[in-house]
Amino acid sequence: MSRFWNEKTRNIEPYVAGEQPKPGQKIIKLNTNENPYPASPKVRKVLEDVDIPLLARYPETSSRIVREELAKVLGVTPEQVFCGNGSDEVLAFSFQAFFESGENAAPLLVPDISYSFYPVYADLYNIPLKKIPLREDFSIDVDAFCKENGGGVAFANPNAPTSILLDLSDVEKILQANPDHVVLVDEAYAAFSGVTARSLLPKYKNLLVTGTLSKSHSLAGLRLGFAVGDPELIEGLCRIRDSFNSYPVDAIAQRVASVAIADDAWVMDNVRKICTTRDRIADELRSRGWTVPVSKTNFLFAAPKDMPAEAIYTNLRGKGILVRYFNKPRISGYLRITIGTDEEMDALLKAIDEIAGGKDA
């Protein structure tokens, strides 16, 4: 611990990202919810034709060309779209823009099991936080969110790492119960569910929906996220952005993202392939006695039958297959398994059978 760190730096508990393989290491990587298929072929053309002199200039601050393409696909106006350097940055800006800080502020309401960056942001920005326990089946307790007197709400839908989708009618109940505060719906995995809260935007000015190109568009390495909401909320995000970094999305990223978004047919074809594989592997694991909730994401939340999840995780890692294990209350018996190609998932099943004694053990 450095003696030069301030108190915040000393006491903060940072987010822990999934393990990344070393260069040249042969790994089946099923631990960070990336897309196993390549981005649109049109991306290559953009990269091959990069105008080098363009890089001498700062990028356009609002990511206009990206917002315009997103608006077409999402059915909104460009004025309703905000872009940032990955959805994590967009979430961070949102926490700063809409949720009050200080010990006397009303707490932000989040599920007790959800994206683990939420409590990190709350701690970093001194936002009081109240965790609402998920039900026993890991579904969000809508009634509890409606009864609490909070200063805003944030949750992922479908939720992570549980993979469970909350019905839009329940999202609407939460919106109605919090009319004076922002309800942030993190839709990083919405493409794999076919359900989005964006349809509620005309009715609720307090709704902010965030998304990413990392999962559905195969652009995790590009770092581009977005938010969609009432123009008043978007203006708030711009005020925070311009108080931190007026150029969060670089010029190349803007051009790549705009062509990838426009190629919606390519994106949705990959999404369909992932969903088909997801459902097949879920059935395979259930046939082995595993507990696997119905997933509406590009990953499975799965509990082994007769062997601790941590032991499965460790043994898979030894075989060169990375999945995610969370040593946390209530979910320490589960693994989060990203959906890869069919070949990768078949290799996973074979490895699980070798570790756990076979499908019929």
Side-chain angles (χ1 to χ4, degrees):
M1 183 179 295
S2 172
R3 64 190 177 94
F4 299 111
W5 292 356
N6 64 18
E7 184 178 0
K8 174 68 73 175
T9 306
R10 285 194 299 271
N11 294 329
I12 198 77
E13 291 187 22
Y15 172 77
V16 178
E19 179 181 357
Q20 297 286 1
K22 298 184 176 82
Q25 188 178 11
K26 291 185 178 180
I27 288 290
I28 295 178
K29 194 169 183 293
L30 307 175
N31 66 329
T32 48
N33 298 344
E34 295 144 325
N35 194 312
Y37 301 110
S40 166
K42 297 178 181 179
V43 166
R44 180 179 295 276
K45 176 66 174 173
V46 172
L47 294 175
E48 290 174 344
D49 294 342
V50 168
D51 182 9
I52 300 302
L54 173 74
L55 301 182
R57 304 295 183 186
Y58 288 110
E60 197 273 325
T61 59
S62 76
S63 306
R64 177 185 53 79
I65 60 173
V66 182
R67 291 188 298 109
E68 289 176 349
E69 290 300 333
L70 278 170
K72 294 175 188 175
V73 172
L74 303 181
V76 295
T77 67
E79 292 73 28
Q80 291 177 277
V81 183
F82 176 89
C83 293
N85 189 354
S87 63
D88 288 335
E89 181 180 76
V90 175
L91 288 168
F93 286 166
S94 300
F95 272 57
Q96 294 175 80
F98 307 120
F99 307 133
E100 296 293 347
S101 61
E103 60 183 17
N104 295 322
L108 171 65
L109 308 179
V110 301
D112 68 331
I113 301 170
S114 193
Y115 187 27
S116 51
F117 232 137
Y118 301 157
V120 174
Y121 293 140
D123 192 13
L124 182 62
Y125 304 129
N126 196 30
I127 298 168
L129 193 72
K130 182 162 187 177
K131 296 182 180 181
I132 307 297
L134 296 182
R135 296 190 180 100
E136 286 300 313
D137 64 356
F138 294 118
S139 62
I140 288 177
D141 189 340
V142 175
D143 291 339
F145 274 95
C146 292
K147 291 175 183 176
E148 290 289 341
N149 185 23
V153 177
F155 61 90
N157 195 40
N159 199 14
T162 65
S163 77
I164 297 173
L165 178 70
L166 184 66
D167 190 84
L168 281 188
S169 63
D170 288 324
V171 174
E172 190 162 15
K173 289 178 184 177
I174 295 173
L175 283 160
Q176 291 170 346
N178 294 270
D180 299 321
H181 300 287
V182 167
V183 175
L184 191 162
V185 183
D186 179 355
E187 291 192 347
Y189 303 99
F192 306 97
S193 72
V195 176
T196 172
R198 292 193 307 272
S199 61
L200 301 175
L201 285 171
K203 295 174 64 176
Y204 299 98
K205 290 184 175 294
N206 61 326
L207 171 61
L208 186 73
V209 180
T210 61
T212 176
L213 303 190
S214 295
K215 322 297 183 185
S216 53
H217 290 70
S218 309
L219 290 173
L222 189 76
R223 309 311 302 133
L224 199 142
F226 59 90
V228 186
D230 186 84
E232 181 180 329
L233 297 184
I234 301 306
E235 182 182 356
L237 288 172
C238 292
R239 289 173 67 86
I240 294 297
R241 177 198 66 201
D242 294 339
S243 301
F244 177 76
N245 176 14
S246 293
Y247 308 100
V249 183
D250 68 71
I252 295 176
Q254 290 188 34
R255 296 194 173 198
V256 168
S258 63
V259 300
I261 293 164
D263 197 357
D264 193 52
W266 177 273
V267 171
M268 295 314 299
D269 184 58
N270 285 342
V271 166
R272 283 189 289 270
K273 287 190 289 188
I274 290 169
C275 290
T276 299
T277 303
R278 174 195 69 196
D279 296 342
R280 177 177 73 86
I281 299 303
D283 287 342
E284 288 282 358
L285 291 175
R286 292 186 190 111
S287 75
R288 289 160 170 78
W290 288 44
T291 299
V292 186
V294 175
S295 172
K296 293 299 181 180
T297 62
N298 68 336
F299 62 86
L300 298 174
F301 186 60
K305 179 183 178 183
D306 296 320
M307 193 171 181
E310 186 173 14
I312 298 281
Y313 157 77
T314 301
N315 279 276
L316 285 174
R317 190 175 184 277
K319 290 177 175 290
I321 301 176
L322 296 180
V323 298
R324 195 76 192 267
Y325 173 69
F326 299 95
N327 188 15
K328 295 181 178 181
R330 297 185 67 189
I331 61 172
S332 60
Y334 287 77
L335 299 173
R336 193 194 70 189
I337 304 170
T338 303
I339 301 302
T341 64
D342 282 311
E343 293 76 16
E344 289 173 329
M345 302 312 291
D346 288 339
L348 170 75
L349 291 175
K350 180 181 178 182
I352 286 174
D353 288 342
E354 291 171 353
I355 293 165
K359 179 175 180 178
D360 299 322

